[in-house]
Amino acid sequence: MLDKTDDISLQVECWLAQFEHALTDAGDLTLLFHPDSFWRDVLALSWTIKTLNGVDAILRELPGDARSARPIGFAIAPNRAPPRRVTRAGICAIEAIINFETALGRCSGIIRLIGDAAADNRLKAWTLLTALDELKGFEEQVGAMRPRGDSYSRDFRGPNWLDQREASAAYADRDPTVLVVGAGQAGLAIAARLTQLKVDTLIVERWPRIGDNWRRRYHALTLHNQVHVNHLPYMPFPPNWPVYIPKDKLANWFEAYVDAMELNAWTGIELESGSYDEAQGRWTVVLRRVDGTTRTLHPRHIVMATGVSGIPNLPDIPSLKNFSGQVLHASQYDDGENWKGRRALVIGTGNSGHDIAQDLHSSGAEVTLVQRSATLVTNIEPSAQLAYANYGDGTLEDNDLIATSMPLALARRSHQMLTEQSRQLDQVLLDGLTRIGFKLDFGEDSTGWQFKYLTRGGGYYFNVGCSDLLVEGAIRLAQFSDIESFVAEGVRIRNGETIKADLIVLATGYKGQQHLVRKLFGDDVADRVGPIWGFGDAQELRNMFTRTAQPGLWFIAGSLAQCRIYSKYLALQIKAIEEGLLPRATD
């Protein structure tokens, strides 16, 4: 019996032995899974990213997936965090990192065991993660697999390293296998993963320099989460970097990363259109340079790495045309110095709206922040960092696997608990905001800021001082619902007051990726793919990091941590398709 010893490692080993026996010899899995259990598979057994909840649902799919994948060798992973007792989503459990193999790959995972009160407190699996790490015979070209670059095998009359790099990036006589659209953290992460798997990959970026997607944002911007969470694959940030990374420092790192990781990238060039040839299994894409000239390529895969959203959302405000001053979307805003001594309205109360309002105020402008809808507000420290508490201890590799192992339902439960903790920590600030009429919310079912991000890409603010300025009255607050109309000199409020302005900044967010898909690839492709980002009926982000209904079209987006984690799994799928191990699209 699993519960007859206090030795945690022995209990885990016993469960793993019984689990492997049940999978390989058609044993009884029902004794091994808690009634309220979760299995998340990330390519290891099913070649999909999926989560199943409940022992009945797990037993309907796990045996069949196991017969196809043929997993063996389940064991506690050496050189990783040892089995330990933890609390996840409010539940005490034994947690262990495991290794195993399948017919095609080497895998890792996490098992969490809890007692089943209905079975004499027998230890059973509460959560199980099975994740593919590498394909046998197609390992990444890193570490022991790195290229040699032998001194004695050089061709002194042939091209040197630089010649080879320039020829590789020119694509004069070939097409890339993969075209990555966008050179932010998503594009760089997936391009680096694919390059290490020897998949020919080209990044195209519309801005003149790598990193401009951060470099060109407003002057005072820094990341809102801490440095130890935000590394890119293979190259962690130096240990002397600041806790909160400035935008220009990150932008310069992106540029250096492309060079150091030998990624092929074209800048100042934009994807204009694309069409897919089913018979040939490849795309025809037209790329347009800033000078108007074009280049046509035929990649087999396109990875859209343009962010959770890429097209500015400009709300239809009929009377806005009456305003005689300057109107900017937040994406166009740079610096408040030009507005010193002048008046500004910032419409929108997410991170960008608050930060721009604070930047304008710091530059000496008279600022009014206009709230359109209820907004979650949390102090950047410690409240906003609670979600990353695990990253304060242990290795990045272990913490990424732990993050991957949390099924949606338990992640929601965890964030509900964190949101309540944040409310208590921030009570003084929240009371002050309520007092001035700021409309607060805490996410759907009080799941907090991270689920706002995962479902809508915004709707929250990490307070770095703007909320305090609002409470003090240094920045004025107005409600959009109180605006009667925009007029030449600003806005007229329903009580007859006019709030004067020289500048209006629309911090109104962005449209979802499906709008860009429709623009670039047409209605048929957009309709075939369907919604992107957010959660549908399944317990995974829609169409992210995995095959879609459109062959050869992939999506990656999210924070640096999300892109670091899931770029590995997306790259493994593309590599498997290229090697004939996996069909090109979902059924």
Side-chain angles (χ1 to χ4, degrees), residues 512-535:
Q513 283 198 67
Q514 55 265 39
H515 293 275
L516 185 58
V517 171
R518 196 170 299 277
K519 173 186 174 183
L520 295 175
F521 307 121
D523 292 340
D524 288 346
V525 171
D527 293 342
R528 188 177 304 129
V529 171
I532 305 162
W533 200 253
F535 299 97

Side-chain angles (χ1 to χ4, degrees), residues 30-254:
T30 59
L31 299 177
L32 299 177
F33 284 89
H34 193 277
D36 187 25
S37 53
F38 298 85
W39 170 42
R40 189 168 194 230
D41 187 54
V42 183
L43 311 181
L45 304 185
S46 66
W47 275 121
T48 61
I49 301 177
K50 68 179 181 181
T51 300
L52 298 174
N53 178 204
V55 64
D56 292 339
I58 292 171
L59 295 185
R60 277 197 300 269
E61 297 198 25
L62 177 56
D65 288 342
R67 283 192 295 273
S68 298
R70 289 177 285 163
I72 58 170
F74 287 89
I76 295 172
N79 305 318
R80 306 288 292 263
R84 55 190 173 174
R85 297 187 188 275
V86 299
T87 300
R88 306 286 187 209
I91 301 295
C92 295
I94 295 172
E95 178 180 271
I97 299 176
I98 62 174
N99 285 343
F100 63 99
E101 294 188 12
T102 66
L104 296 177
R106 299 179 187 90
C107 308
S108 60
I110 290 183
I111 179 68
R112 296 189 183 94
L113 303 174
I114 62 174
D116 181 0
D120 195 26
N121 213 35
R122 177 189 177 94
L123 284 178
K124 296 183 178 181
W126 174 45
T127 74
L128 173 64
L129 169 72
T130 50
L132 180 65
D133 283 335
E134 61 182 7
L135 293 167
K136 294 176 181 178
F138 306 106
E139 293 80 6
E140 290 184 337
Q141 302 298 292
V142 296
M145 301 294 293
R146 73 170 75 217
R148 288 184 56 86
D150 286 343
S151 295
Y152 292 103
S153 63
R154 283 178 292 168
D155 181 356
F156 280 80
R157 304 299 298 173
N160 68 2
W161 171 85
L162 181 59
D163 297 329
Q164 294 173 22
R165 284 293 305 127
E166 290 176 343
S168 175
Y171 289 92
D173 56 359
R174 75 190 198 285
D175 290 303
T177 302
V178 180
L179 182 72
V180 175
V181 183
Q185 60 262 23
L188 299 189
I190 185 57
R193 299 284 194 188
L194 287 166
T195 299
Q196 298 313 306
L197 289 170
K198 292 188 174 181
V199 178
D200 193 356
T201 301
L202 170 65
I203 306 168
V204 291
E205 167 59 49
R206 65 189 179 98
W207 293 113
R209 290 175 61 189
I210 299 294
D212 275 353
N213 61 319
W214 284 97
R215 194 177 287 113
R216 290 171 175 258
R217 297 176 71 180
Y218 57 89
H219 187 70
L221 177 64
T222 65
L223 297 190
H224 290 104
N225 53 3
Q226 297 182 353
V227 63
H228 55 269
V229 183
N230 287 320
H231 306 287
L232 286 170
Y234 313 112
M235 282 179 59
F237 298 127
N240 67 330
W241 272 41
V243 172
Y244 295 99
I245 305 173
K247 69 177 181 73
D248 297 287
K249 194 174 187 69
L250 184 65
N252 292 344
W253 182 262
F254 280 12

Side-chain angles (χ1 to χ4, degrees), residues 17-36:
Q18 294 184 46
F19 180 62
E20 183 167 344
H21 173 75
L23 289 180
T24 56
D25 296 334
D28 189 357
L29 287 167
T30 59
L31 299 177
L32 299 177
F33 284 89
H34 193 277
D36 187 25

Side-chain angles (χ1 to χ4, degrees), residues 161-406:
W161 171 85
L162 181 59
D163 297 329
Q164 294 173 22
R165 284 293 305 127
E166 290 176 343
S168 175
Y171 289 92
D173 56 359
R174 75 190 198 285
D175 290 303
T177 302
V178 180
L179 182 72
V180 175
V181 183
Q185 60 262 23
L188 299 189
I190 185 57
R193 299 284 194 188
L194 287 166
T195 299
Q196 298 313 306
L197 289 170
K198 292 188 174 181
V199 178
D200 193 356
T201 301
L202 170 65
I203 306 168
V204 291
E205 167 59 49
R206 65 189 179 98
W207 293 113
R209 290 175 61 189
I210 299 294
D212 275 353
N213 61 319
W214 284 97
R215 194 177 287 113
R216 290 171 175 258
R217 297 176 71 180
Y218 57 89
H219 187 70
L221 177 64
T222 65
L223 297 190
H224 290 104
N225 53 3
Q226 297 182 353
V227 63
H228 55 269
V229 183
N230 287 320
H231 306 287
L232 286 170
Y234 313 112
M235 282 179 59
F237 298 127
N240 67 330
W241 272 41
V243 172
Y244 295 99
I245 305 173
K247 69 177 181 73
D248 297 287
K249 194 174 187 69
L250 184 65
N252 292 344
W253 182 262
F254 280 12
E255 202 165 40
Y257 186 84
V258 167
D259 183 55
M261 295 302 299
E262 300 187 8
L263 307 182
N264 294 336
W266 293 353
T267 58
I269 194 163
E270 196 163 2
L271 175 60
E272 185 174 82
S273 63
S275 59
Y276 188 73
D277 188 320
E278 296 276 356
Q280 296 191 40
R282 69 176 192 174
W283 293 88
T284 296
V285 298
V286 177
L287 305 175
R288 181 171 295 277
R289 303 180 183 91
V290 291
D291 63 6
T293 60
T294 62
R295 173 81 182 267
T296 299
L297 293 176
H298 300 285
R300 290 197 287 274
H301 306 267
I302 296 175
V303 179
M304 298 298 294
T306 53
V308 172
S309 45
I311 301 176
N313 179 45
L314 300 173
D316 182 16
I317 307 174
S319 62
L320 184 59
K321 64 181 182 294
N322 299 331
F323 178 60
S324 61
Q326 186 169 0
V327 179
L328 299 174
H329 186 265
S331 59
Q332 301 168 302
Y333 177 83
D334 177 33
D335 190 5
E337 288 302 310
N338 293 331
W339 301 96
K340 182 177 181 179
R342 304 174 77 183
R343 296 161 298 196
L345 283 168
V346 180
I347 300 176
T349 48
N351 272 320
S352 294
H354 277 88
D355 282 354
I356 290 170
Q358 187 170 355
D359 186 65
L360 285 162
H361 169 79
S362 299
S363 298
E366 180 183 320
V367 185
T368 299
L369 183 64
V370 180
Q371 185 173 31
R372 295 199 304 158
S373 58
T375 307
L376 187 151
V377 175
T378 185
N379 280 321
I380 194 166
E381 284 191 355
S383 298
Q385 307 308 316
L386 295 175
Y388 304 111
N390 289 338
Y391 280 87
D393 298 307
T395 68
L396 185 68
E397 183 182 23
D398 287 353
N399 287 320
D400 281 351
L401 197 65
I402 290 169
T404 307
S405 73
M406 292 302 290

